[in-house]
Amino acid sequence: MSPASSVIKIHPDVQAYTVNGPLYAPIFEVAARRGKPILTHTFADSPYSDPLQFDAIATEWPQVVILLGHSGVTGEGHRRAMKVAGQHPNLYLELCGSLTTGHWIQKMVATLGPERVLYGSDFPFIELRYALGRVVFAGLAPEIVALVLGGNARRILRLPAP
């Protein structure tokens, strides 16, 4: 299999279409066939992208790596994202979003392990220094910070070590 040099992005809320809808099936089929991860927007209580909706998706597409963008956004969303990701090894938590603090990053790493949490900035909407700083100053060991800030993405995208 050739290296996956890209990620497929979907945004159910912008498209006003539930991630569980049949129109997304071809995207998951392509991701499965080509070994591409999918980055998706998630938001607690959204009719389109609540983290708990990914239970059915992860069950149907266990071979597809799915990055739960924003990890549900809110505290309740983070709890839901950790719950569903804890049940499916193909679900990963992605950290972009202004409400994802060092406290939540610590909880995500402790709950799922450092290999299942990935840095995200949400640039240009969120200042890059803030997005990076909340990981750097979350109180994690340096080797965990290295995984979150790039090591995990490198592994998922099958990129060579620097």
Side-chain angles (χ1 to χ4, degrees), residues 18 21 32 37 52 65 72 78 83 115 119-120 122 131-132 145 148 152 154:
T18 182
L52 296 179
V65 168
H78 294 333
K83 177 182 177 181
E115 298 81 13
Y119 169 77
D122 216 9
L132 183 62
V145 171
V148 172
N152 294 332
R154 188 177 302 110

Side-chain angles (χ1 to χ4, degrees), residues 62-129:
Q63 71 279 38
V64 176
V65 168
I66 302 169
L67 310 174
L68 301 178
H70 308 286
S71 298
V73 178
T74 66
E76 180 57 28
H78 294 333
R79 282 187 279 279
R80 292 176 190 178
M82 286 186 285
K83 177 182 177 181
V84 72
Q87 298 167 351
H88 300 282
N90 60 320
L91 295 180
Y92 291 72
L93 302 183
E94 188 270 348
L95 299 176
C96 74
S98 60
L99 300 178
T100 308
T101 62
H103 162 79
W104 285 109
I105 295 168
Q106 287 178 356
K107 283 185 83 76
M108 291 173 190
V109 166
T111 301
L112 297 173
E115 298 81 13
R116 303 269 304 284
V117 180
L118 290 92
Y119 169 77
S121 68
D122 216 9
F123 181 80
F125 307 109
I126 296 178
E127 163 63 45
L128 284 172
R129 291 173 293 182

Side-chain angles (χ1 to χ4, degrees), residues 7-20:
V7 174
I8 298 170
K9 168 99 187 255
I10 61 175
H11 202 308
D13 288 87
V14 167
Q15 294 148 348
Y17 187 75
T18 182
V19 72
N20 292 320

